[in-house]
Amino acid sequence: KNFKIFNFDKNPSKNKNVVNFKCDLNNRKQIKSKFFEFKKKYKIVFGLINCAGYASAKNALNYDIRKWDKTISINLTAPFILTKLVSNLMKLKKIKGSIINITSISADMPMPDAIAYNVSKAGLKNLGKSFAVDLARYGIRVNNLSPGYTKTAMTIKSWKNKKKRKERTNKTLLAKWGSSEDYNEAVYFLIDPKKSGYMTGSDLIIDGGWTIKGL
């Protein structure tokens, strides 16, 4: 537990162990400049968690190209850039680090009116596996964590809609939504080489049983 977490996002964390680098993940130049600011100050990195996300609800036939570009940029391009920057630093410092992508069950089970989100998460899933193949020679591990339907700022409208909340609750075997706390220990597991040192290119699904629920 004796480590600091660095948050590259527009939303600062209130966790006392988190160092915030305010960054617009839709701005490629800003991502790189903030990373080099981090690199200059802290020199090394042992892990990366690509967890920022964006979604805009609209039927595929009417989906706005600007929303498409923004979703792909934040959910897929930004993780590619950050993974490349971080893994090169790990390689330079000979650190056998861990990289985690927060994907989604929608990567395999597309949600309605979410074409860009579905595609971006499917791409992120394969991005992780592709990096896992290329980085294994340096001892750098890359894995995916796939959450189920979770109560967040992104899904708060669905949560407040009683009908949608019930529909999504009934989709899971455990009959409840996920919360951010449901994934914390899994992230620690994937980061820690003593616990998951022989694991790379894998998908860890934590969805309350959504993906296996039958009739």
Side-chain angles (χ1 to χ4, degrees):
K1 305 292 184 179
N2 296 320
F3 58 84
K4 286 195 176 296
I5 301 169
F6 301 92
N7 175 46
F8 290 82
D9 202 344
K10 290 190 293 185
N11 303 311
S13 172
K14 296 179 181 179
N15 188 313
K16 64 181 180 180
N17 294 319
V18 175
V19 177
N20 293 296
F21 286 79
K22 191 173 181 180
C23 180
D24 180 0
L25 293 177
N26 194 34
N27 185 322
R28 299 178 186 182
K29 290 183 179 180
Q30 194 175 123
I31 293 173
K32 291 180 180 179
S33 67
K34 288 295 179 180
F35 176 79
F36 288 122
E37 181 182 331
F38 158 83
K39 180 181 176 182
K40 182 178 181 181
K41 187 172 183 178
Y42 294 99
K43 312 299 183 187
I44 59 173
V45 61
F46 293 92
L48 169 68
I49 306 165
N50 288 310
C51 59
Y54 173 80
S56 178
K58 184 72 73 171
N59 184 271
L61 294 177
N62 301 311
Y63 208 90
D64 186 90
I65 189 64
R66 291 169 296 182
K67 295 291 186 181
W68 171 276
D69 288 342
K70 184 176 180 179
T71 306
I72 298 299
S73 178
I74 293 173
N75 294 2
L76 184 56
T77 305
F80 166 71
I81 294 170
L82 283 166
T83 300
K84 186 178 175 183
L85 291 168
V86 167
S87 57
N88 270 303
L89 180 56
M90 288 177 174
K91 176 187 173 185
L92 179 67
K93 299 294 184 178
K94 294 182 169 55
I95 293 171
K96 296 181 178 181
S98 173
I99 297 169
I100 304 168
N101 292 317
I102 307 301
T103 60
S104 169
I105 57 174
S106 71
D108 298 298
M109 301 178 65
M111 303 292 178
D113 299 327
I115 186 168
Y117 184 81
N118 297 334
V119 170
S120 68
K121 289 300 183 178
L124 182 61
K125 178 178 178 178
N126 203 274
L127 180 79
K129 292 178 181 295
S130 298
F131 265 113
V133 171
D134 287 349
L135 298 180
R137 72 194 71 176
Y138 309 113
I140 301 171
R141 300 179 298 111
V142 188
N143 292 288
N144 298 321
L145 194 161
S146 178
Y149 215 83
T150 306
K151 184 184 177 184
T152 65
M154 189 186 298
T155 60
I156 195 65
K157 287 184 179 180
S158 296
W159 173 262
K160 290 181 177 179
N161 184 311
K162 291 183 179 180
K163 181 181 178 181
K164 288 185 177 181
R165 187 196 308 180
K166 185 177 180 181
E167 287 175 349
R168 285 153 177 73
T169 298
N170 291 340
K171 287 279 188 179
T172 69
L173 287 174
L174 297 181
K176 64 177 183 177
W177 288 36
S179 69
S180 57
E181 289 75 19
D182 290 319
Y183 312 110
N184 290 343
E185 292 302 321
V187 170
Y188 288 135
F189 167 76
L190 291 173
I191 282 287
D192 192 342
K194 293 181 180 179
K195 293 181 171 64
S196 58
Y198 196 53
M199 186 175 177
T200 194
S202 296
D203 300 306
L204 182 58
I205 301 172
I206 304 177
D207 66 351
W210 182 304
T211 52
I212 66 162
K213 191 176 187 301
L215 296 175

